[in-house]
Amino acid sequence: VRGLLALRIDTIEKLKGAVPVLRNELRTSTNFRSFYNFVFDWVRENPQARYVSAETACVMWPIVFEGRAFPHQKLYIDFFTNVYKKTISRDLWRQSLDFSQISLDAYDPTSSWPTAIDEFVEWQKSK
């Protein structure tokens, strides 16, 4: 509500008109990163939760990344849906954005990725 008030959007028509403008603003990496980080807080079950369910993350990733490059997104979601099945921490959520921007060939296992991403890459290579 505060966001809509700040944007002076008080009708459905104004909201419909603002959506293309807001989508355009998400094209910059800084704005997208802020939006992406906001989504984690928005989808938590309650404000004190430090995690989101893998199910929630796997529903949100295709929505959030729509129109953006994430070359291994389907495999990533398959892994978190069928293999990992644990909750997604804020750190894993945020690192997933960085991970979405690299190819699996460029993945460096000695970098400080969350264990779940390391496990995803190992799972993918074993396939």
Side-chain angles (χ1 to χ4, degrees):
V1 171
R2 286 188 303 242
L4 292 174
L5 289 173
L7 294 169
R8 297 181 185 180
I9 297 172
D10 56 2
T11 66
I12 296 296
E13 291 75 29
K14 287 181 182 179
L15 179 59
K16 286 179 183 177
V19 168
V21 174
L22 295 171
R23 280 193 178 147
N24 193 42
E25 287 184 18
L26 291 179
R27 293 191 194 282
T28 70
S29 60
T30 302
N31 288 346
F32 181 76
R33 182 172 298 277
S34 295
F35 170 72
Y36 180 81
N37 291 338
F38 161 79
V39 169
F40 179 87
D41 291 331
W42 184 63
V43 300
R44 291 180 301 170
E45 290 185 22
N46 66 64
Q48 290 76 35
R50 295 175 25 198
Y51 303 93
V52 297
S53 70
E55 179 182 359
T56 297
C58 290
V59 167
M60 293 309 299
W61 279 321
I63 295 168
V64 173
F65 282 104
E66 183 178 343
R68 296 187 72 87
F70 187 168
H72 38 278
Q73 177 180 325
K74 288 183 182 189
L75 296 169
Y76 201 67
I77 290 170
D78 185 40
F79 174 76
F80 283 99
T81 300
N82 299 308
V83 179
Y84 189 73
K85 297 182 182 180
K86 298 176 187 172
T87 57
I88 307 298
S89 68
R90 180 185 309 275
D91 182 53
L92 177 54
W93 177 268
R94 289 183 174 184
Q95 290 291 324
S96 293
L97 175 58
D98 295 329
F99 182 68
S100 74
Q101 299 168 11
I102 66 166
S103 72
L104 291 177
D105 296 333
Y107 180 78
D108 180 2
T110 62
S111 295
S112 58
W113 293 105
T115 304
I117 293 178
D118 290 333
E119 290 174 13
F120 164 74
V121 173
E122 288 175 25
W123 173 78
Q124 181 53 36
K125 287 182 179 180
S126 72
K127 290 182 86 174

